[in-house]
């Protein structure tokens, strides 16, 4: 049977549509595996002396967390940093990353994600947000913590967790390291329409939901989340502070800059 130009065109269009549908279906069902490549408990680091292991309870089960107390003597309740890490990390890998703020008199709560390490459940925006709310409730009810000076600190995917908490609870400030405006916006880099994104983590909407001091820090050589995302987020969150640094995606927090920010907003005494 002889093919006409019309039949060839129809076959070509059907092939293109089939490829697009397959790609979109793959993105929809595989995206959580790509966004949350959860390391197992085998990659956890042992807790140093003085670190307290905690269990937070959400609907899907028990979640790991660690409380690192201030490393200097403190009269009365101490301010607290609640930290949420990047998507390919574990909270225990950050035990040594907070020595400096602990020397200021801050406590630190390292929060694990559902499905990571020894935590139950499956990671998603909903389950991670529930975990953050449980962490906040632990913080404001622990007598060692000054409930009026709880700061959300997030890195990479953890900026979505920190922003989600800030939208729902009165944190004293938010510090975001290598953030994005939303995962829906990030998905456009992979030709994925926003409606396919199951966990949008809309940082713009979350940070604008409740007035709070926000510091955004982004590496100028970031090839994972381009610095343009951090700039765009700062531009869309009135009053936020933006700090570009000469760094790739992974870097230790620039603590002197964060200290000035926290001092400027009354979370700690000025140096």
């Amino acid at each position: 049977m002889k093919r006409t130009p019309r039949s060839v065109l129809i076959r070509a269009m059907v092939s293109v549509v089939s490829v697009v549908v397959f790609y979109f279906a793959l993105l929809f069902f595989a995206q959580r595996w790509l966004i949350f490549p959860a390391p197992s408990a085998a990659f956890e680091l042992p807790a140093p002396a003085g670190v307290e292991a905690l269990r937070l309870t959400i609907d899907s089960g028990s979640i790991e967390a660690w409380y690192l107390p201030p490393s200097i003597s403190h009269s009365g309740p101490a301010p607290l940093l609640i930290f949420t890490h990047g998507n390919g990390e574990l909270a225990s890998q950050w035990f040594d990353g907070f020595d400096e703020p602990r020397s200021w008199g801050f406590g630190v709560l390292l929060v694990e994600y559902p499905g990571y390490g020894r935590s139950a459940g499956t990671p998603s925006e909903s389950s991670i947000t529930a975990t953050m709310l449980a962490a906040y409730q632990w913080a404001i009810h622990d007598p060692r913590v000054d409930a009026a000076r709880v700061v959300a600190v997030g890195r990479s995917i953890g900026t979505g967790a920190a922003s989600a908490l800030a939208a729902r609870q009165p944190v004293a400030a938010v510090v975001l390291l290598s953030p994005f405006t939303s995962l829906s916006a990030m998905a456009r880099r992979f030709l994925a329409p926003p409606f396919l994104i199951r966990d949008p983590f809309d940082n713009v909407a979350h940070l604008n939901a409740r007035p709070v001091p926000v510091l955004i820090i982004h590496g100028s050589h970031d090839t994972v989340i381009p610095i343009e995302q951090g700039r765009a987020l700062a531009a869309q969150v009135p009053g936020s502070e933006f700090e570009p640094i000469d760094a790739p995606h992974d870097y230790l927090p620039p603590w002197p800059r964060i200290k000035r920010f926290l001092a400027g907003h009354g979370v700690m005494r000025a140096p």
Side-chain angles (χ1 to χ4, degrees), residues 219-252:
S220 58
H221 307 297
D222 194 330
T223 58
V224 178
I225 302 175
I227 192 172
E228 287 74 22
Q229 283 285 308
R231 285 200 181 97
L233 180 60
Q236 295 176 66
V237 178
S240 61
E241 301 177 31
F242 179 68
E243 184 80 17
I245 62 173
D246 185 17
H249 184 68
D250 296 327
Y251 54 85
L252 287 176

Side-chain angles (χ1 to χ4, degrees), residues 13-25:
M13 291 176 63
V14 169
S15 297
V16 170
V17 170
S18 297
V19 169
V20 170
V21 169
F22 175 79
Y23 179 62
F24 283 0

Side-chain angles (χ1 to χ4, degrees), residues 81-98:
L81 305 180
I82 298 181
F83 177 70
T84 47
H85 58 74
N87 68 345
E89 303 169 346
L90 291 172
S92 66
Q93 295 169 347
W94 281 89
F95 285 142
D96 296 333
F98 286 84

